[in-house]
Amino acid sequence: MNKNITEELLNIKSESSKLNLYIKLQEYILEKTTLKIGLDKIDEILSILEKKSYDKTNNESLIKELILELDKKGISKDLLNEQEIADLINKHSPQITSTKENTKKKPKKDKQQIEENELEEVLYDADKLTKEMEYNLRRIFNYSGYTVTKDDTHFYVQNKLTKKQDKIIFYKDFNHCYFESNPENKVFINISLDGQKYGTENISSIDGKEVYFEEEKKEVIIRDSANDITYQLYPNKNNELSITKIKDNNVLADNYSEVKKEIDRLIPGIIAEYIKEYGIKDLEKINENINDKEQTQLDKKEELIDELNERNLKEFNEALKAQQEKDIRDASMKIAKSNTLTLDIGD
Amino acid sequence: MSEELLIAYNKLDIVEKRNAMSNELMMIGQMLRTISHDLNMESDLKVKNYDSSKENITEDDTLTFLYEDVYNIKREILQIFNYISIKKKTNNH
């Protein structure tokens, strides 16, 4: 048996975790069926458990023992026969008998109670909600277009686009939460209590949009369920922003700027956050800067040309004025000469 | 024309060159109209004012634009020339 699973199962103590224990046992058995125990064997086990009015909430010790037996003997086809399971269960029969009267009604009640406990809203607990979990939580909402703040008792979110504020209410398991204004819209946070790192399994589903993170590859996948479109943000080998848009399993070669705008409309600010978070270069921004620089240089050049033209025009006007003055002087002289000549002829 | 003026003109950009040319033509036109008036001749000479803001005007357009003015000026001069010649002949007789 996977040692981690065994340890995990054996270490579960809290009341609210009993349901998890049972589920994990089932998962474990089912996992093994594909290897060594046939499905019929699982059915057999479950059938015996049912026959014995197995009460999953009050038979923690039985389950633990089952697990230990499985672990000790190793898994083989013949290991868990009906007799062995029956023996194990019988060993615990007094406990079962003592609760037998209530077993027909109680399981449902207990299950309901457990679910209520699991889904009971709680204030966030600084000891349970580690810094890393809080960081993850903030990122989920940040990437989904919300600004996150907190006080001593609650987290608050503000929609970056609509500026609408809301309160986050956690469920006891800290894996789910909802907005106070909309309890129906549950958000699956899936932040692990042991502070495990993000993986692609981390999903936030808000307003019909899903955001997946892939920390290692610095990828973000955005799913717009309403339009059946998937966007993938990732850095290329030069750490520059690349975007892929997928619809009906086809990669669409749409205009880069338009796709960027589309994503920003879907989840406002997500690209800016993404670029900032992972230190990715936005080529469009770089090009804009280059264009700005080129434009500035062009403006400067134009200014210089204007200055030069102005100087040349001034120079020309001065030369023209001098020429005209000279022309007038020359004309006067010509007229004077002409008058003298006329006078001479006249004389 | 002095060398200085020619050099200064050469340094002008195309728009200012056209402006200077237009100014000279307008002045010629104005003088011819005055002469015609003094000689009691009717004159319909009009010289266009080149608008420097129309920077997009092509060289082709400019040549057409100027040719019309130059042609009209030449015609006005010819009329004045003919008028003076006729007057001279009349006076001699």
Side-chain angles (χ1 to χ4, degrees), chain A residues 309 312-313 315-316 320 323, chain B residues 1-2 5 11 13 16:
Chain A
N309 283 341
N312 286 340
L313 187 61
E315 200 179 300
F316 170 74
L320 183 64
Q323 178 73 51
Chain B
M1 186 192 273
S2 69
L5 181 59
K11 281 185 190 172
D13 68 4
E16 291 303 337

Side-chain angles (χ1 to χ4, degrees), chain B residues 21-39 41-49 69-70 72-74 76-77 80:
Chain B
M21 172 77 88
S22 176
N23 286 344
E24 298 301 340
L25 290 174
M26 280 197 298
M27 186 166 281
I28 293 167
Q30 182 58 44
M31 286 190 297
L32 287 174
R33 277 197 301 274
T34 308
I35 294 167
S36 297
H37 181 261
D38 289 349
L39 295 173
M41 282 174 64
E42 280 186 17
S43 172
D44 58 355
L45 178 65
K46 281 176 189 166
V47 177
K48 295 185 291 295
N49 187 3
D69 284 345
V70 170
N72 288 338
I73 287 168
K74 183 201 75 177
E76 188 75 6
I77 293 170
I80 294 170

Side-chain angles (χ1 to χ4, degrees), chain A residues 310-334:
Chain A
E310 209 174 306
R311 208 165 55 229
N312 286 340
L313 187 61
K314 197 179 166 193
E315 200 179 300
F316 170 74
N317 285 334
E318 280 168 4
L320 183 64
K321 196 179 166 192
Q323 178 73 51
Q324 283 169 343
E325 283 169 0
K326 185 177 176 293
D327 289 347
I328 291 167
R329 279 197 306 275
D330 290 351
S332 302
M333 280 177 70
K334 271 183 190 172

Side-chain angles (χ1 to χ4, degrees), chain A residues 132-133 135-141 189-191 195-203 213-216:
Chain A
E132 188 167 356
M133 286 157 62
Y135 172 73
N136 290 344
L137 176 80
R138 283 178 181 278
R139 279 187 37 179
I140 284 175
F141 284 104
I189 321 173
N190 196 21
I191 42 178
Q196 277 179 3
K197 275 202 161 188
Y198 261 123
T200 47
E201 287 175 0
N202 293 286
I203 301 164
F213 304 96
E214 176 45 84
E215 186 80 25
E216 295 293 317

Side-chain angles (χ1 to χ4, degrees), chain A residues 115-116 118-120 140-141 168-171 173 175-190 203-210:
Chain A
E115 280 178 353
E116 276 172 10
E118 285 295 323
L119 298 179
E120 182 188 342
I140 284 175
F141 284 104
I168 297 177
I169 309 294
F170 286 102
Y171 288 124
D173 64 356
N175 272 336
H176 296 77
C177 64
Y178 62 86
F179 292 173
E180 191 180 43
S181 69
N182 185 10
E184 295 302 311
N185 188 8
K186 280 184 202 167
V187 180
F188 176 54
I189 321 173
N190 196 21
I203 301 164
S204 71
S205 178
I206 301 167
D207 301 336
K209 290 162 260 171
E210 293 167 2

